[in-house]
Amino acid sequence: QHFASRHHTHLHTPPHLVKMSAIAAQRIALPKTFNGQKVSTVGAKAVAPSVKMANKAKYTARRSVRVMAGVFSDVEQAPADPILGVSTAYQACESPDKLNLGVGAYRTEELQPYVLEVVKKAETIMMEKGENKEYLPMSGLPAFRKATLDLLLGAEHPAIAEGRAIAIQSLSGTGSLRVGAAFLAKFFPGRKVFFSNPTWGNHKNIFGDAGVEWDMYRYFDPKTVGLDFEGMIEDIKAAPKGSVILLHGCAHNPTGVDPTKEQWEVIADTVKECGHLPFFDVAYQGFASGSLDEDAFAPRFFVDKGMEIMVSQSYSKNLGLYSERVGAINIVAADAESATKSASQMMKLLRAIYSNPPVHGARIVAEVVGNEEMFAEWKAEMEAMSGRIDGVRNALKADLDELMPEKDWSFVTRQIGMFSFTGLSPAQVENMTNKWHVYMTKDGRISLAGLSLAKSKYLAEAMVDSFKNY
């Protein structure tokens, strides 16, 4: 009626409805038999059963040929990831006492994931700004890149002012390491990278996948549950000149054993004398000691000695941005031209891997670091998270001392950061999981970020049982 009143004409049946009506009329008029056989209707056509069977046979044959081809049948099943697989097993466990001490992710005292308050504030500001979702440059968000270098070296560092230090946004620590590894493989072929023994499990995958040959230097001393400093220095000296020495900037993963400042000075001198390239993996800055500056001591010291370095950075732990995949690959070169050329080649490499980085996490970092008030709030929250882990460490050691006083448990509180390397053997770890429902990696590493004060005694009982009986 509205249409008729506006155009002063009578209503007409729309053309598409006329066509549909014609098809319906054809269906009604279709014959019931065809060459003496009953037929069914599909649209406006009559199909005899014999024709349908022939078509079905053809389809089945085609499908069988595709299945029998087996293009992917020779692909082997990949082994379960040794770290992420722990969480899968934990989720399948039905015990009310179960503990997940495998993955390095911070938990509250109630063992729940934690989103930092300062992150929530940053996201609110971002929403109010109405930011778009356009592609970032290959190098990443400029404000993020500036914030990253300021955190790594200090805002007033000469290397930044001289243009010798460049940060390229990447996919958290893993992506940053992968870009760095690809860069080394292309421009320094034949150079071997040396990891600490032990090291983060993914280091070998990342560099091996990029075609970089690797070896290991001594690091952990199981007798003292501490640093084998003499062995470390000997192995660095024995490495071929120009090797890449991968160093954990702070809160060594998996051991939690860090060199002292005095030992870092010797390490720097040794690396420099041997003509090696230091490559720092900085995944826990501010989260280890609670101080951003304290945790950046090692890379800053190397740069201050006039050394060129590469650094991967991650904001997964210190800002809790695990799923945002935000980090950076940094280079500090001898001069600005070398840094710029190297950065250009890294961007060319990452273009072929993931093209450009995601924006959301980078904006969070830029908002937090670029706002004086929010930056102070972030540091306070980092101190609180670090402090909770220290509290758990002290409680666990006290419980272990009480249950098994004849054993030296001082390593628990000597170690730093998120993890503790317990010295438990694979058989003892198996008992921890099968009997006590404590899920952890087979090398004996536990994430104290996943432990609460309420569960400290339970974990201590499991550890003592495993040490005594297995």
Side-chain angles (χ1 to χ4, degrees), residues 124-404:
T124 299
I125 293 172
M126 289 158 54
M127 289 296 291
E128 292 172 348
K129 286 182 177 180
E131 303 274 16
N132 61 45
K133 299 294 183 181
E134 291 294 305
Y135 289 123
L136 286 178
M138 286 186 291
S139 58
L141 187 71
F144 166 85
R145 296 171 59 209
K146 179 184 184 306
T148 293
L149 283 178
D150 288 350
L151 289 176
L152 178 64
L153 299 176
E156 306 300 325
H157 199 282
I160 299 175
E162 295 163 7
R164 298 188 293 111
I166 295 179
I168 299 173
Q169 184 185 338
S170 191
L171 306 182
S172 198
T174 302
S176 302
L177 288 164
R178 184 62 176 80
V179 172
F183 174 76
L184 292 173
K186 183 171 183 178
F187 294 97
F188 304 96
R191 286 206 190 193
K192 186 181 290 187
V193 61
F194 283 78
F195 305 130
S196 63
N197 188 14
T199 193
W200 178 46
N202 213 19
H203 279 149
K204 299 173 184 178
N205 296 332
I206 293 167
F207 284 83
D209 241 23
V212 179
E213 187 179 356
W214 56 266
D215 207 330
M216 307 194 87
Y217 57 84
R218 281 172 285 177
Y219 191 86
F220 182 73
D221 184 350
K223 294 180 181 179
T224 64
V225 198
L227 179 65
D228 181 1
F229 183 64
E230 291 183 3
M232 178 183 183
I233 296 301
E234 288 177 5
D235 288 350
I236 291 175
K237 287 181 176 179
K241 183 177 181 179
S243 296
V244 179
I245 309 299
L246 193 136
L247 302 161
H248 297 232
C250 63
H252 184 275
N253 180 5
T255 68
V257 175
D258 282 3
T260 64
K261 289 183 178 180
E262 292 74 22
Q263 289 171 329
W264 272 122
E265 292 176 10
V266 177
I267 294 168
D269 288 338
T270 305
V271 170
K272 187 174 184 179
E273 289 168 5
C274 295
H276 299 324
L277 173 64
F279 192 147
F280 284 93
D281 184 356
V282 178
Y284 303 95
Q285 184 182 357
F287 196 86
S289 68
S291 167
L292 289 164
D293 293 327
E294 191 71 18
D295 290 347
F297 171 80
R300 291 181 184 182
F301 182 79
F302 277 59
V303 173
D304 290 344
K305 286 185 70 68
M307 301 173 69
E308 295 180 298
I309 66 171
M310 293 175 67
V311 184
S312 68
Q313 275 177 283
S314 169
Y315 291 92
S316 292
K317 307 300 191 298
N318 55 16
L319 261 174
L321 300 177
Y322 303 101
S323 63
E324 300 296 347
R325 311 314 295 149
V326 58
I329 176 69
N330 306 271
I331 183 168
V332 181
D335 55 78
E337 183 181 2
S338 299
T340 300
K341 290 190 296 185
S342 297
S344 73
Q345 292 293 347
M346 288 185 188
M347 284 186 279
K348 184 179 178 182
L349 289 166
L350 69 83
R351 171 65 169 157
I353 302 173
Y354 57 84
S355 192
N356 44 21
V359 70
H360 189 78
R363 282 178 176 153
I364 292 173
V365 174
E367 288 288 348
V368 171
V369 179
N371 182 298
E372 187 174 339
E373 182 179 340
M374 292 175 68
F375 188 51
E377 289 182 34
W378 178 36
K379 290 193 287 186
E381 285 195 86
M382 275 190 292
E383 290 175 5
M385 291 189 292
S386 177
R388 194 191 84 75
I389 294 176
D390 284 345
V392 167
R393 280 189 184 277
N394 290 323
L396 178 60
K397 180 183 180 298
D399 290 331
L400 289 167
D401 285 338
E402 179 183 344
L403 293 171
M404 192 176 176

